[in-house]
Amino acid sequence: MAIVKMKRLRLLAPRPDREELLRALQSLGCVEIREPAIDLSDPAWEGLGKPDHAGLEKAREQSLTLNAALDALRRYAPAKDGLFARRPEITEGELFDDGAYAAGLDAARQVLEGEQALAAKGAERSKLLTQKASLEPWSCLDVALDEEGSAAVPVHFCSVPVKTDFAALEAAVDQADVPAQLVRAGSDRELRYFLLICHHSAVSACYEAMRPFGASRVTLRGWTGTAAENIALLDNRMAALEREEAQCKADLSALGERRDALRRCVDRAGQEIGREENRARLIDTDTAFVLDGWFPAENQGELEKVLGKFQCAWEAAEPTQDEYPQVPIKLKNNPVTGPFTAITEMYSMPAYGSVDPNPLMAPFFIAFFGFMMNDIGYGVLMVLGTALFLAKARPKGTMRDMMAMFFMCGISSVFWGCLTGSFFGDFLSKLFDLTGSAAAVPGYHDAAGSFIWFWKPLFTPINDTITVMIGSMVLGVIQVFTGMAVSVSMKLRQGQVLDAVTQEMAWWCILIGAAIAICGSAVAGMPAGLGTAGLVILVLGVVLLPVGSIIRSKSALGAITWLWDAYQGISGYFSDILSYLRLMALMMAGSIIASVFNTLGSVFGLAAFIVVAIIGNTLNLVLNLLGCYVHTMRLQCLEFFGRFYQDGGKPFRPLAVETKYVDILKEEM
């Protein structure tokens, strides 16, 4: 349970072996390749260069094609994957099968071509609908759309705004005293349509008379025959398009059978991208290439076995102190503390050479979460839900860690629920009261005979507020002192004895001495002299603070600055310990909300009680999951990590086979 010891790898190998060697390292999965810290523009490095990016661009393009095809299948052939659907297991040989990959790419192109054909038909149908809408107003006239009349009597297709008084328009044309006739057609939301038939000598006079009404000429180019005839043709074509679209959708749905193959190809493309991105970090010449990177020292034997198959020169070296900021961080933990790496990565990985926080944080995180949730029913649901998900879905990475973490927090919730006697709040006591069986149920009852729990609770959040408050602060003191102890251990290991004695140890004396002195003088029955002993310890701590400040500053100024340090320390420790009262707040809030819902349901009888209790406790569980997680993580990241944590590390990201849709069965190399 520590930060894994890393070694630096430098390798020189023939360029023809580059792809095969990278593939072998990817299969091994324990080498992180980094950019060498050299300036290729320096004449001293003449002849060295970077690999081209053609392979990376090709891999990304293929990945985009495959993912686009999967997205299309989600729309036209939805998968029937359940929440607990297990990923198929394949070997690396099957994943890297070039034939299967080529077939998957062909299937992806078929899917995209089918989607493009469907989109084209949809666009054509939209165009036909627009054309039909433009012809609808003329469908009531038995006039060809290309009708122009004769040279003596032309025919004009015209329109006016739909709100125009058409009778007034006709009257205006009549008042022009010209040989003309207006023939009404239909209208749409914006315009009213009509035909203007008049002698060619009267065209100008007619348009002048219609100008105040906003009349304009309509151009209907490209149409022959009547509007009704053309609408019938459009309807026939749209019916044919509907059949063609249905066939396209059926073809796409049939391609849904290739979904698993496409998913494998997506994972294969991901490996190609990862390998090409790492290849871009190499330095090469026409005949050789150079690899620089990091690997866990515990994997050196496996690495030697793989590199022994190639004609290459390589060395593994311990990182120097100056290289520590560059060393990637890998945490090695057991099944209990390992899942908390997800929390650590959200905050920041520890610096190389410092302390792995997971073993220190895990027991506090589990205890605090369960303390705030403190319900047997909620805890059992968490345990069963996460266990089922882990067993059926077999999640990987962060999702697996989060599920395992909530599983342990569920157990903690059951433990604290047993101490408080909480099962979906006071669900059982309300249920037994409604059914009239409270007195017959064996267990602990109050003075009125109402059932409380099967045994006497150690405390209850609602009735024992002071106990909960003191317990919260005690838990806070334990975690704060643990953080201080880790800091002392680190300083002693680094030879900073003065800082350890005059800082954390001095504050231990002050805090513990003050507590002993108060208890010795204020609590009856304490041994004689206890208060005096506490004062002696307190004074020792008060003396150590300025002494350390004077020695570090090497001047009398330290005697003054220690006052500010003391003020910051007192306010800091006081506020940090008070922050743990959020444990009490969330414990009480969850219990009160559950009790309110149970009481509300019990007012209306047994049936209503069951319904309201289920709904209310479901909501309360969701809120508690979010609140307990956020506040527990806050206590770790701020109040606890601030005591000793040295962040700034970069997560170890080796070149490895990482998949999304399949699980890889490891083969013997």
Side-chain angles (χ1 to χ4, degrees):
M1 296 187 291
I3 299 174
V4 175
K5 183 180 179 182
M6 306 295 288
K7 285 191 174 183
R8 183 173 181 177
L9 172 68
R10 292 184 178 91
L11 180 145
L12 176 65
R15 183 168 174 174
D17 293 342
R18 184 176 62 189
E19 304 308 321
E20 186 178 355
L21 193 148
L22 285 175
R23 177 71 66 84
L25 292 180
Q26 185 175 35
S27 180
L28 183 61
C30 68
V31 176
E32 178 178 317
I33 300 174
R34 70 167 195 171
E35 295 271 3
I38 61 176
D39 183 6
L40 294 178
S41 62
D42 190 332
W45 301 106
E46 185 177 359
L48 297 180
K50 303 286 291 182
D52 63 81
H53 296 283
L56 178 58
E57 294 173 359
K58 179 181 178 182
R60 286 175 175 171
E61 181 181 349
Q62 291 173 342
S63 179
L64 287 173
T65 299
L66 291 164
N67 279 295
L70 277 180
D71 289 338
L73 290 181
R74 290 188 188 100
R75 291 190 291 271
Y76 301 108
K80 297 181 180 179
D81 297 335
L83 178 63
F84 302 114
R86 302 183 68 172
R87 291 181 298 275
E89 294 180 335
I90 63 173
T91 64
E92 283 189 27
E94 292 173 319
L95 179 65
F96 289 102
D97 186 338
D98 291 334
Y101 190 52
L105 287 171
D106 288 339
R109 295 186 187 102
Q110 291 178 28
V111 171
L112 294 181
E113 288 170 0
E115 187 181 34
Q116 290 171 359
L118 185 60
K121 296 183 186 303
E124 183 181 355
R125 184 156 57 88
S126 297
K127 179 182 177 181
L128 295 178
L129 287 171
T130 301
Q131 292 175 338
K132 181 179 178 181
S134 68
L135 296 180
E136 288 284 358
W138 305 103
S139 62
C140 59
L141 299 181
D142 189 18
V143 178
L145 298 176
D146 56 347
E147 178 65 54
E148 296 181 355
S150 63
V153 183
V155 175
H156 292 183
F157 292 79
C158 301
S159 68
V160 291
V162 69
K163 295 182 179 180
T164 300
D165 185 347
F166 201 81
L169 176 65
E170 291 176 322
V173 174
D174 290 341
Q175 290 175 5
D177 195 20
V178 292
Q181 181 181 1
L182 302 183
V183 180
R184 298 190 186 193
S187 63
D188 55 26
R189 290 184 299 177
E190 297 179 357
L191 299 173
R192 181 186 298 276
Y193 300 91
F194 63 95
L195 293 179
L196 170 63
I197 305 173
C198 66
H199 192 269
H200 71 89
S201 61
V203 171
S204 297
C206 288
Y207 276 102
E208 183 64 25
M210 296 189 299
R211 184 170 59 82
F213 295 91
S216 62
R217 189 170 180 181
V218 177
T219 302
L220 297 171
R221 293 191 180 95
W223 297 103
T224 59
T226 65
E229 292 170 346
N230 282 283
I231 289 173
L233 293 174
L234 292 176
D235 286 338
N236 291 335
R237 177 55 187 156
M238 284 191 289
L241 278 176
E242 288 182 2
R243 293 191 293 272
E244 293 172 9
E245 287 179 330
Q247 184 59 48
C248 284
K249 290 179 180 179
D251 293 341
L252 285 171
S253 179
L255 287 171
E257 298 177 356
R258 305 297 303 276
R259 178 181 288 102
D260 289 341
L262 287 175
R263 287 175 172 174
R264 289 189 188 184
C265 290
V266 168
D267 282 338
R268 163 68 184 272
Q271 312 319 308
E272 300 295 329
I273 291 173
R275 192 167 61 255
E276 290 296 330
E277 288 176 342
N278 279 270
R279 186 171 75 93
R281 302 188 186 113
L282 304 177
I283 300 295
D284 62 10
T285 67
D286 294 336
T287 58
F289 72 94
V290 177
L291 182 150
D292 196 356
W294 300 96
F295 70 93
E298 61 190 15
N299 295 117
Q300 185 165 343
E302 301 173 36
L303 183 61
E304 288 178 356
K305 183 179 178 181
V306 170
L307 295 181
K309 301 176 183 178
F310 298 90
Q311 293 183 348
C312 61
W314 64 280
E315 70 168 357
E318 300 282 348
T320 63
Q321 194 76 28
D322 293 338
E323 290 178 321
Y324 274 16
Q326 306 169 22
V327 181
I329 305 301
K330 180 181 179 182
L331 303 179
K332 185 177 182 180
N333 289 283
N334 57 40
V336 174
T337 61
F340 292 89
T341 300
I343 303 296
T344 304
E345 288 189 351
M346 288 182 191
Y347 181 75
S348 177
M349 293 295 279
Y352 191 74
S354 63
V355 175
D356 177 5
N358 287 355
L360 302 167
M361 172 179 61
F364 289 112
F365 194 103
I366 295 170
F368 290 174
F369 193 105
F371 185 86
M372 288 186 281
M373 185 71 73
N374 82 98
D375 191 279
I376 298 174
Y378 297 161
V380 168
L381 290 179
M382 290 173 61
V383 170
L384 294 179
T386 53
L388 183 62
F389 188 81
L390 288 168
K392 295 294 184 179
R394 295 182 306 184
K396 298 188 294 185
T398 301
M399 179 60 72
R400 177 194 58 206
D401 290 343
M402 296 297 287
M403 289 297 106
M405 183 179 66
F406 280 116
F407 174 84
M408 291 181 282
C409 291
I411 295 176
S412 177
S413 178
V414 172
F415 169 76
W416 287 104
C418 290
L419 299 183
T420 62
S422 178
F423 182 85
F424 299 116
D426 56 353
F427 176 84
L428 290 181
S429 61
K430 290 288 192 299
L431 177 65
F432 293 150
D433 285 341
L434 286 172
T435 57
S437 57
V441 177
Y444 178 71
H445 297 73
D446 61 13
S450 297
F451 174 82
I452 301 299
W453 188 240
F454 296 103
W455 54 83
K456 184 178 181 180
L458 184 64
F459 65 93
T460 58
I462 298 177
N463 298 325
D464 301 304
T465 307
I466 300 300
T467 301
V468 175
M469 180 182 71
I470 295 174
S472 300
M473 297 181 69
V474 168
L475 290 174
V477 169
I478 293 173
Q479 186 173 46
V480 169
F481 273 48
T482 301
M484 295 170 68
V486 176
S487 179
V488 168
S489 174
M490 292 173 60
K491 289 178 179 178
L492 293 177
R493 189 173 58 188
Q494 296 168 3
Q496 301 172 0
V497 179
L498 175 66
D499 290 343
V501 172
T502 60
Q503 290 178 347
E504 282 82 7
M505 289 186 178
W507 280 108
W508 277 345
C509 292
I510 293 173
L511 296 174
I512 296 175
I516 294 175
I518 292 173
C519 291
S521 59
V523 179
M526 288 293 176
L530 184 63
T532 303
L535 287 174
V536 171
I537 297 173
L538 174 62
V539 170
L540 176 62
V542 171
V543 170
L544 286 174
L545 280 179
V547 169
S549 182
I550 293 171
I551 295 175
R552 280 190 296 272
S553 65
K554 298 180 180 180
S555 69
L557 184 63
I560 300 175
T561 58
W562 83 272
L563 293 173
W564 175 249
D565 293 338
Y567 167 74
Q568 286 188 311
I570 292 172
S571 60
Y573 285 112
F574 184 71
S575 62
D576 285 351
I577 293 174
L578 286 182
S579 292
Y580 288 86
L581 290 179
R582 68 185 68 246
L583 299 175
M584 175 192 73
L586 267 77
M587 171 184 271
M588 294 184 62
S591 299
I592 291 172
I593 292 173
S595 178
V596 167
F597 276 112
N598 293 334
T599 302
L600 181 64
S602 65
V603 173
F604 303 99
L606 181 61
F609 166 73
I610 298 295
V611 173
V612 173
I614 291 175
I615 296 174
N617 280 283
T618 300
L619 294 174
N620 194 31
L621 173 60
V622 173
L623 290 174
N624 272 351
L625 285 173
L626 178 61
C628 294
Y629 172 73
V630 169
H631 288 286
T632 304
M633 189 165 65
R634 181 196 182 280
L635 290 173
Q636 312 310 311
C637 295
L638 296 183
E639 276 68 33
F640 188 44
F641 283 1
R643 301 292 165 195
F644 67 92
Y645 194 69
Q646 297 179 13
D647 62 355
K650 298 177 293 184
F652 180 55
R653 297 287 185 256
L655 172 61
V657 177
E658 297 180 350
T659 57
K660 178 180 179 182
Y661 295 108
V662 299
D663 288 335
I664 300 299
L665 296 172
K666 295 298 290 185
E667 301 172 290
E668 291 294 331
M669 300 185 62

